Amino acid sequence: AAGVIQSPRHLIKEKRETATLKCYPIPRHDTVYWYQQGPGQDPQFLISFYEKMQSDKGSIPDRFSAQQFSDYHSELNMSSLELGDSALYFCASSSKGANVLTFGAGSRLTVL
Amino acid sequence: QQQVKQSPQSLIVQKGGIPIINCAYENTAFDYFPWYQQFPGKGPALLIAIRPDVSEKKEGRFTISFNKSAKQFSLHIMDSQPGDSATYFCAARDSGAGSYQLTFGKGTKLSVIP
């Protein structure tokens, strides 16, 4: 069965650089969620989209932005990267109103 | 403020033992309580979930017990195996707020010793 696809799996950036993470949801899933998980921490909700519109916003820094495209894939753009942005970034998808969120394998961002 | 409090932080059991992980919440509007299992370097995977109108749910070796009045729920793993060694997160969701995002507990790192 198709799962949530995230790319890249690993990314190394310098401070103040920008990074873009991509997420391809499960086919026919119309809702995408982004989570940030620091080392040894629980996943923290950043932002979600339903039908290409932002549906909810969590602890996403102003330096970050995201969008969902017409094919339902989503991109998380991170600018002016800081050391503290080093984390695993997970994307999850679901059908609107469905209970189950399916997570991708994550993108590990390292900021040097 | 952590909306979902999870304990213990870590847990070590012998193979065949029954680890129990506990979670408590304050927001009475939460209406869905899943448990996720996460292996190192992987994304969280849904293990089992419960709604507040049910006091217990069992799927294979995994059981959720739910106490609505105490606002607590717990995960029991029967006949635990070394392959169960992972980090377990409880979570909660308030769909009535129009949001379907999950709020996670801090996680419990379980080690099952052969």
Side-chain angles (χ1 to χ4, degrees):
Chain A
V4 177
I5 306 298
Q6 291 189 245
S7 67
R9 291 296 314 279
H10 302 273
L11 191 59
I12 300 175
K13 290 287 185 178
E14 301 274 342
K15 278 174 54 177
R16 292 179 288 277
E17 285 191 319
T18 61
T20 297
L21 306 181
K22 296 184 179 183
C23 170
Y24 295 85
I26 291 173
R28 291 181 294 282
H29 279 191
D30 48 22
T31 306
V32 168
Y33 310 79
W34 285 98
Y35 283 82
Q36 177 192 57
Q37 187 176 31
Q41 301 295 314
D42 56 302
Q44 293 291 315
F45 172 69
L46 294 178
I47 196 167
S48 63
F49 292 86
Y50 167 65
E51 285 290 345
K52 291 150 280 182
M53 299 287 289
Q54 181 182 308
S55 56
D56 200 5
K57 191 173 182 179
S59 53
I60 185 170
D62 292 340
R63 299 177 289 108
F64 293 10
S65 65
Q67 56 183 325
Q68 186 180 30
F69 295 86
S70 57
D71 64 351
Y72 296 104
H73 95 272
S74 179
E75 295 183 4
L76 177 67
N77 301 292
M78 299 174 284
S79 62
S80 302
L81 287 170
E82 302 173 356
L83 296 178
D85 296 329
S86 296
L88 267 169
Y89 289 82
F90 289 104
C91 172
S93 73
S94 72
S95 298
K96 173 69 173 177
N99 287 327
V100 180
L101 267 65
T102 302
F103 284 80
S107 293
R108 182 177 293 280
L109 171 66
T110 302
V111 181
L112 302 177
Chain B
Q1 183 183 1
Q2 190 71 15
Q3 292 196 53
V4 180
K5 295 182 179 179
Q6 183 172 347
S7 63
Q9 197 171 9
S10 62
L11 191 53
I12 301 173
V13 299
Q14 294 276 351
K15 178 183 173 182
I18 306 176
I20 301 172
I21 305 171
N22 300 298
C23 285
Y25 63 96
E26 288 297 323
N27 185 352
T28 54
F30 284 146
D31 59 0
Y32 174 70
F33 302 88
W35 285 89
Y36 279 81
Q37 179 189 57
Q38 186 177 27
F39 294 103
K42 304 291 185 183
L46 179 65
L47 196 59
I48 186 173
I50 198 167
R51 299 189 73 92
D53 53 350
V54 176
S55 61
E56 185 176 282
K57 184 174 181 180
K58 186 174 182 179
E59 287 185 5
R61 296 184 293 109
F62 301 93
T63 300
I64 301 178
S65 298
F66 191 88
N67 185 331
K68 188 175 181 178
S69 60
K71 292 184 286 186
Q72 295 175 347
F73 58 110
S74 60
L75 176 70
H76 301 231
I77 306 176
M78 306 299 176
D79 187 28
S80 58
Q81 302 295 313
D84 296 329
S85 297
T87 299
Y88 292 81
F89 292 96
C90 61
R93 188 195 70 189
D94 171 15
S95 61
S99 166
Y100 293 85
Q101 54 96 356
L102 296 171
T103 299
F104 286 88
K106 287 290 187 186
T108 297
K109 186 173 182 179
L110 172 66
S111 299
V112 181
I113 302 170

